[in-house]
Amino acid sequence: MKNQGTTNRPDNTAFDQQRLPAWQPVLSAGIVIPGFLLVGLAFIGIGVALFVTSRSIQVLENDYTGTGSSVHCSECVNPKTTPCTCQLNFSLSALFQGPVFLYYGLSNYFQNVRGYGSLRRPSSSCAPYQYDQNTTIAPCGSVANSMFNDTFTLYQLVNATRKTVPLDGKGIAWWTDYNIKFRNPPEVDGSLAAAFNGTVKPVNWPKPVYDLDPTNPANNGFLNQDFLVWMRTAALPDFWKLYRRITEGEYASGLPAGNYTLEIQYNYPVANFAGRKSVIFSNTSWMGGKNQFLGIAYLVTGSLCVVMSAVMLIVYAKFNSPDEDF
């Protein structure tokens, strides 16, 4: 009869007995100090490139809340003034390089704590926007109910006439949201509206989800681009969300110098939570949008590495033994 201890013994192989060849670096001063110096110089170079590139990105931001220091759209602050249209005039002294992205910005808006759940089958996470008079709300939840609904139309003033600047809203949502995360229910007899029978629109919406974009039937339901952008909740209370791109026709290379008017359909209230609204024009670079923090972070980290290499060299030169190898 075999001994139980012998039976459970691992095989006598290099892998099972941990006899495989191994390499362990010996961290000497001759390796660590130059290593810190090279890493620091590399980080400083990357940081300079990121910082300079970020500073070259153009950003034009205007607050249109209508209260406090903002003078734009003050006539629309009163909630009884609905619907209300206001105008924001601005001038460009030079070409605003394209492609130009139009964002809306919200401040003091803690979107990250608003729970929401199933869009079609209500769950407890949809409360309190789960049912309306015992009828299912679609889409349900606080985030969907509070969807941003200000609209913007941009005009260029040419010889005292207003020329519409085309705004492209195709593909502004994340690919994963449009193709994976969200789905419309199957159409009934070719009708998306029929697929939502037995549901009602969210309480604060002016129109049902299947009629968000009357000009483009493919841009309705849970696959509406503006809805998808809004449903990707922000992590911080101050955020931008993409509204449109300016990439078509004579404006493909950017917005030429001149005078512009942004017509705003002012619908979204922010006064009850001391929020702010803004509209932002920006372009991008190889590193994305304007973000000086990343460049500064690389510069600080690289500088610390260089300083540490100098400190370690001084300590080594002062305290090492004459017989010790470098």
Side-chain angles (χ1 to χ4, degrees):
M1 185 175 181
K2 291 185 178 180
N3 184 280
Q4 186 69 22
T6 304
T7 304
N8 294 331
R9 181 181 300 169
D11 294 336
N12 187 26
T13 63
F15 180 80
D16 290 331
Q17 297 298 331
Q18 300 184 18
R19 295 195 301 267
L20 291 174
W23 176 80
Q24 183 176 358
V26 178
L27 298 179
S28 64
I31 295 175
V32 174
I33 294 175
F36 263 76
L37 180 61
L38 292 176
V39 170
L41 293 176
F43 270 55
I44 290 174
I46 296 172
V48 169
L50 290 173
F51 187 78
V52 171
T53 302
S54 179
R55 288 182 63 88
S56 67
I57 296 174
Q58 297 169 282
V59 175
L60 176 63
E61 181 173 4
N62 283 290
D63 188 302
Y64 71 96
T65 310
T67 59
S69 59
S70 172
V71 296
H72 303 297
C73 299
S74 57
E75 66 273 20
C76 295
V77 174
N78 190 338
K80 297 181 180 180
T81 311
T82 55
C84 184
T85 301
C86 58
Q87 294 184 348
L88 191 158
N89 299 314
F90 63 94
S91 300
L92 297 176
S93 58
L95 174 68
F96 200 106
Q97 294 286 345
V100 179
F101 297 85
L102 174 59
Y103 301 86
Y104 59 86
L106 291 172
S107 299
N108 198 38
Y109 197 116
F110 293 85
Q111 195 182 32
N112 58 328
V113 299
R114 292 174 174 265
Y116 69 93
S118 169
L119 294 176
R120 191 67 172 83
R121 297 180 180 176
S123 64
S124 59
S125 59
C126 283
Y129 301 103
Q130 186 173 351
Y131 298 101
D132 185 11
Q133 298 182 352
N134 296 324
T135 304
T136 302
I137 295 176
C140 70
S142 298
V143 174
N145 183 68
S146 60
M147 178 178 168
F148 186 83
N149 61 345
D150 284 1
T151 59
F152 307 98
T153 306
L154 181 61
Y155 300 97
Q156 183 184 11
L157 304 181
V158 180
N159 298 326
T161 60
R162 300 205 307 180
K163 181 180 180 181
T164 302
V165 178
L167 303 178
D168 181 17
K170 303 183 187 72
I172 60 175
W174 283 33
W175 184 93
T176 50
D177 290 343
Y178 186 84
N179 293 280
I180 298 175
K181 186 175 180 180
F182 291 87
R183 284 286 184 273
N184 277 329
E187 295 185 359
V188 177
D189 296 329
S191 171
L192 183 61
F196 283 93
N197 284 341
T199 67
V200 294
K201 67 178 181 63
V203 177
N204 290 341
W205 285 26
K207 58 179 68 174
V209 68
Y210 54 80
D211 193 31
L212 291 176
D213 188 356
T215 63
N216 182 9
N219 190 35
N220 282 306
F222 301 145
L223 296 181
N224 175 266
Q225 293 288 323
D226 292 320
F227 173 73
L228 293 176
V229 169
W230 178 255
M231 292 302 291
R232 179 160 287 275
T233 54
L236 301 175
D238 300 340
F239 56 86
W240 296 358
K241 286 184 180 286
L242 182 59
Y243 181 76
R244 294 292 183 268
R245 296 188 186 95
I246 303 175
T247 58
E248 299 178 356
E250 60 185 287
Y251 300 97
S253 59
L255 294 174
N259 298 320
Y260 292 85
T261 295
L262 185 68
E263 189 173 272
I264 303 171
Q265 188 72 33
Y266 195 107
N267 302 311
Y268 202 75
V270 294
N272 57 343
F273 58 89
R276 309 293 301 178
K277 297 193 293 185
S278 59
V279 61
I280 305 100
F281 293 88
S282 178
N283 47 28
T284 59
S285 68
W286 58 269
M287 61 163 285
K290 193 177 187 69
N291 182 6
Q292 294 187 357
F293 171 79
L294 190 60
I296 293 173
Y298 268 92
L299 287 171
V300 171
T301 304
S303 300
L304 288 175
C305 288
V306 172
V307 171
M308 286 300 300
S309 66
V311 170
M312 287 187 289
L313 181 60
I314 294 172
V315 171
Y316 176 80
K318 185 174 182 179
F319 296 103
N320 78 307
S321 171
D323 299 329
E324 185 179 345
D325 293 336
F326 184 74

